Amino acid sequence: MNITTEKFKETARQELANAHTQKFLQILPLRLASRRDSAYQSFPDPVAAHRYGQAIRDESIQRLPELLQVFETNAIANGARVFWAEDNRAANGYIADLAIRHGVSYVTKGKSMITEELGLNEALAQAGIETWETDLGEFITQLLRRPPFHIVGPALNIPVEQICEIFLERGVIDAPTTDPVALGMAARRFLREKFRDLQMGITGVNMAVAETGTVINVENEGNIRLNKSSPRILVCVMSLEKVVPTLADAMHMLRVLCRSATGQAAGAYMTLDSGPKRSDEIDGPEELHI
């Protein structure tokens, strides 16, 4: 679902009147803030660590045109293909044309806010290409035809009974259950079949490194790694401000990112890709498009 300003306002009005949603909103920010504060204490100097991250971002924005050109040069040298999309129509068109050209009937996606803003799923559907979200929360909201509710928890506002109902309706489970673990395992089994014969995967980009032409993804579920390693074709959709100058800068930003987002010292999975797979490698895509 394309996340426009109008759609955001409409959804916000609905959820402000949703008692289930409001219960989570009263708890979630406080818990995340507490976890963030606790995680930052593992730095010798938490304030300095945060300020250093801010300095990296400031430098990246100030040098943005230069860094993007360096990133493109190094990504191409690694074997990636870089396309500069002027707007959502250009980005969606490039991805849809790529899928059509390779005879792709369906794609899988990792959680990506930029593709939500682009309306990519709708564009692919119009081109006759089926899309499967593989983040658990995004998978649930996709089945319910809803936009994601929260960047970290896309389906936090959906009661478990409603998840059970849609999973039964779509064949994800055979018998009703409200056990969150059982529902999660059922979604995992369902989506693993999509990865088995996958031809094309799509992810966002948490960070890009100019000096190495590397794209980085951070996650906790492992689905992004499957999206990256399973298909012949990988598309990484990146907004301009994701670039940082060096790999050392990226490593510090990852420490700050995980602590600030979920209160973790590190995400469960951090995947760095510098081009498609090499001739002596057995895993990874044959084509990488950024």
Side-chain angles (χ1 to χ4, degrees):
M1 182 177 291
N2 193 353
I3 307 300
T4 62
T5 300
E6 292 74 20
K7 183 62 184 177
F8 173 81
K9 290 180 178 179
E10 176 190 338
T11 303
R13 283 193 295 269
Q14 292 173 356
E15 296 303 332
L16 281 169
N18 184 328
H20 182 83
T21 297
Q22 291 306 309
K23 181 177 70 173
F24 274 106
L25 288 178
Q26 289 170 12
I27 298 170
L28 182 66
L30 294 175
R31 286 189 176 176
L32 286 178
S34 176
R35 290 183 59 170
R36 177 191 182 278
D37 291 344
S38 177
Y40 261 85
Q41 296 311 307
S42 60
F43 284 125
D45 186 336
V47 174
H50 188 269
R51 286 178 177 168
Y52 182 40
Q54 186 177 32
I56 292 170
R57 294 297 298 133
D58 286 345
E59 179 188 358
S60 299
I61 296 301
Q62 290 170 14
R63 297 175 56 197
L64 192 58
E66 170 206 346
L67 292 177
L68 288 168
Q69 290 175 349
V70 172
F71 171 77
E72 179 187 30
T73 297
N74 289 325
I76 291 173
N78 291 336
R81 307 178 193 190
V82 178
F83 176 73
W84 296 81
E86 184 176 1
D87 54 23
N88 69 321
R89 185 174 301 179
N92 294 341
Y94 180 93
I95 296 168
D97 289 345
L98 180 65
I100 292 168
R101 192 164 68 248
H102 286 274
V104 172
S105 60
Y106 77 92
V107 301
T108 63
K109 286 178 66 237
K111 182 165 68 175
S112 165
M113 294 299 102
I114 186 67
T115 61
E116 297 281 357
E117 295 178 24
L118 294 173
L120 177 59
N121 290 13
E122 291 75 15
L124 290 174
Q126 290 172 9
I129 300 158
E130 190 175 28
T131 303
W132 289 99
E133 296 287 351
T134 60
D135 172 87
L136 178 57
E138 293 276 351
F139 176 62
I140 292 167
T141 58
Q142 181 186 27
L143 294 183
L144 290 169
R145 300 184 182 277
R146 290 190 184 185
F149 173 71
H150 188 276
I151 292 175
V152 176
L156 273 175
N157 61 326
I158 300 173
V160 68
E161 294 80 8
Q162 195 171 356
I163 297 171
C164 170
E165 183 179 329
I166 193 64
F167 276 19
L168 278 169
E169 181 184 322
R170 298 300 297 271
V172 180
I173 55 177
D174 299 322
T177 178
T178 55
D179 177 10
V181 175
L183 290 169
M185 288 297 295
R188 179 182 180 181
R189 287 192 298 270
F190 184 89
L191 290 169
R192 281 298 169 95
E193 290 302 314
K194 307 302 178 187
F195 290 121
R196 191 183 304 279
D197 299 310
L198 183 61
Q199 297 297 305
M200 182 169 161
I202 302 171
T203 74
V205 174
N206 287 106
M207 215 171 302
V209 183
E211 74 170 351
T212 59
T214 301
V215 290
I216 302 176
N217 288 90
V218 184
E219 58 170 327
N220 283 319
E221 296 182 19
N223 61 300
I224 292 177
R225 185 165 286 188
L226 286 167
N227 273 294
K228 285 185 149 192
S229 61
S230 303
R232 292 190 304 110
I233 305 159
L234 171 61
V235 179
C236 295
V237 186
M238 169 183 155
S239 51
L240 298 175
E241 82 289 349
K242 297 295 185 181
V243 69
V244 296
T246 69
L247 195 57
D249 291 332
M251 292 302 101
H252 181 74
M253 292 304 297
L254 285 172
R255 297 184 186 104
V256 174
L257 166 66
C258 295
R259 285 170 170 82
S260 297
T262 57
Q264 295 170 279
Y269 300 94
M270 297 186 187
T271 309
L272 290 74
D273 290 272
S274 300
K277 70 176 181 180
R278 309 310 194 253
S279 58
D280 59 344
E281 295 174 332
I282 60 173
D283 293 316
E286 296 170 11
E287 296 182 17
L288 169 60
H289 299 254
I290 304 170

